[in-house]
Amino acid sequence: MNPRISSYFSRRLRRLLAVAMLASGLAQAAAPQPVLLGIDGEFGLDNSTSAQAVELGMRVAIAEINADGGVLGGRRLELVTKDHRSIPARGIRNIQEFARMPGLVAVFGGRFSPVIIEELPTLKSTKTLFMAPWSSADAIVDNGMRPNYVYRLSLRDSLAMPRLLQSAHRRRLDRVGLLLTNTSWGRSNAEAAERAVSANRGMRIVGTSWYNWRDTTLIGKYRQLREAGAQAIVLVANDDEAAVLVREVAALPKAQRLPILSHWGVTGGEFVKQAGPALQQVDFSVIQTFSFWQADPARVRRFLASAGKISSVRRIEDIKGPVGTAHAYDLTHILAQAIERAGSTDRRLVRDALEKLPAWRGLIKNYAPPFTPARHEALGPDELLMARYRADGALVPARE
């Protein structure tokens, strides 16, 4: 080829490439930046499904919000996940990293109250907006922050314990033994139980036994409570230790198997699989704040249709950790409304907007409104119910 012609084509190619690069840069500059939401959860913990449940609820809500145009004039919501594996030090590091992310509005937490309680000083110092869709220890919201950057759409222990004791009382099981995890979550429930018993004439706590995380047997502590006169056991446990107890109780003679009324930590993992056939041999019920089986059918159909587009969920039975999923779903929608009201991703402005939202009908309830300056709890006693596991593993409302 003639050198002059070759030079001409080379110059023309460079110009075309420069124009293409400029156009690409302008397109990127014009595209609205995404709004980031974080999850700080126990993704890598063996047998746990709770962080995944929160993620599912958030992703379904995010898909719906983005399909409707996103927030702030077309900015898409995007999710960033970090794994604390139930280790507080990892959680603190995660919060620090989230706090430094440009465009990140809020962090959603996982199931474990002890992790979040240890994170509170970091949340306070970094002014990181924290949304709690599962953890229940009172101190998470009653944290002394002014202003308070923590909002919860979940159960709290000072509501759970009265409801568990009420369920026992309705069944004329007025002498109860407490079997509690030796953590800040367990201690939160011990305090709540004492307050609840003092307000209910006729109820009595005959004993309190404490176990440690990953204990491989609980039957000795169970027997102590039974020998102290317990007619029922109120259990505060996660899935691993609860499954150990259920298998051990099922192995006892039938007359020695006390009813077990459980806090909801068991629903955040592979409890049914770990307990095995023993679960159907024990009188076991668990507190919940929501059931897809009792919700508005139209809203359940919408949720399942949206979930089916981004996951393998097709039926209610496919949802693991249903409360975490439903809580995170509603809480994400509420947060998106606050971002719109704030007109910004500034965490301080969004925090303030969350206290001023109007009433909104969600999957779980009619929030009227979700939060106020004096109330950072979205749920109350009216949402509480007891549930049982069917033989197929589905968690369904119980008859009381």
Side-chain angles (χ1 to χ4, degrees), residues 141 148-152 351 355 371-378:
V141 172
N148 192 350
Y149 274 78
V150 179
Y151 288 81
R152 176 158 53 195
R351 190 216 77 86
E355 296 181 341
F371 304 107
T372 71
R375 175 178 56 77
H376 282 205
E377 303 276 6

Side-chain angles (χ1 to χ4, degrees), residues 80-359:
V80 182
T81 64
K82 289 185 179 293
D83 182 9
H84 63 53
R85 308 189 82 177
S86 80
I87 301 171
R90 286 177 177 266
I92 291 168
R93 182 191 65 195
N94 291 345
I95 297 299
Q96 292 169 339
E97 293 176 355
F98 276 130
R100 293 192 292 267
M101 284 186 183
L104 185 127
V105 175
V107 178
F108 283 62
R111 174 174 36 143
F112 292 109
S113 292
V115 174
I116 298 169
I117 288 172
E118 292 296 324
E119 292 173 344
L120 287 172
T122 305
L123 292 169
K124 181 178 180 180
S125 65
T126 59
K127 294 182 172 58
T128 300
L129 184 56
F130 190 84
M131 316 301 285
W134 196 309
S135 47
S136 62
D138 287 13
I140 290 171
V141 172
D142 303 343
N143 53 44
M145 289 187 199
R146 298 292 182 271
N148 192 350
Y149 274 78
V150 179
Y151 288 81
R152 176 158 53 195
L153 197 161
S154 181
L155 184 60
R156 62 182 275 146
D157 295 335
S158 57
L159 295 179
M161 270 297 158
R163 185 64 179 83
L164 287 166
L165 293 172
Q166 180 188 66
S167 181
H169 178 66
R170 287 176 178 174
R171 299 174 60 185
R172 299 183 179 180
L173 305 169
D174 288 334
R175 299 192 306 278
V176 301
L178 304 181
L179 185 51
L180 310 176
T181 174
N182 189 19
T183 64
S184 54
W185 180 41
R187 291 186 286 276
S188 174
N189 278 281
E191 294 169 5
E194 292 291 347
R195 291 193 299 270
V197 164
S198 65
N200 288 274
R201 188 174 301 174
M203 292 292 297
R204 186 159 66 93
I205 297 173
V206 300
T208 301
S209 290
W210 300 87
Y211 69 88
N212 295 314
W213 192 46
R214 298 297 193 190
D215 276 356
T216 57
T217 179
L218 278 74
I219 196 64
K221 300 180 187 302
Y222 169 89
R223 284 197 173 107
Q224 290 173 2
L225 295 172
R226 183 174 177 276
E227 291 165 3
Q231 297 172 304
I233 302 296
V234 173
L235 176 68
V236 175
N238 289 307
D239 47 298
D240 293 328
E241 291 79 24
V244 169
L245 178 65
V246 164
R247 293 195 302 268
E248 292 182 318
V249 171
L252 296 174
K254 193 170 184 179
Q256 297 179 21
R257 301 176 200 166
L258 299 179
I260 300 173
L261 294 87
S262 176
H263 210 309
W264 70 352
V266 302
T267 66
E270 299 288 0
F271 170 65
V272 173
K273 183 185 296 184
Q274 294 179 85
L279 184 54
Q280 298 304 312
Q281 305 302 315
V282 176
D283 182 346
F284 189 95
S285 55
V286 57
I287 194 168
Q288 296 281 271
T289 53
F290 171 78
S291 173
F292 279 94
W293 303 100
Q294 290 183 334
D296 181 335
R299 285 181 166 79
V300 172
R301 285 194 297 272
R302 182 193 181 199
F303 176 89
L304 291 174
S306 297
K309 296 175 183 177
I310 64 168
S311 73
S312 61
V313 170
R314 300 291 184 274
R315 310 170 303 151
I316 294 173
E317 291 91 337
D318 297 332
I319 302 169
K320 293 185 177 181
V323 288
T325 298
H327 291 175
Y329 174 82
D330 273 6
L331 196 52
T332 303
H333 275 289
I334 290 168
L335 179 61
Q337 294 171 43
I339 294 170
E340 285 289 293
R341 185 181 183 93
S344 169
T345 58
D346 184 289
R347 295 167 197 163
R348 178 182 58 84
L349 297 178
V350 177
R351 190 216 77 86
D352 293 345
L354 280 163
E355 296 181 341
K356 301 169 185 175
L357 294 176

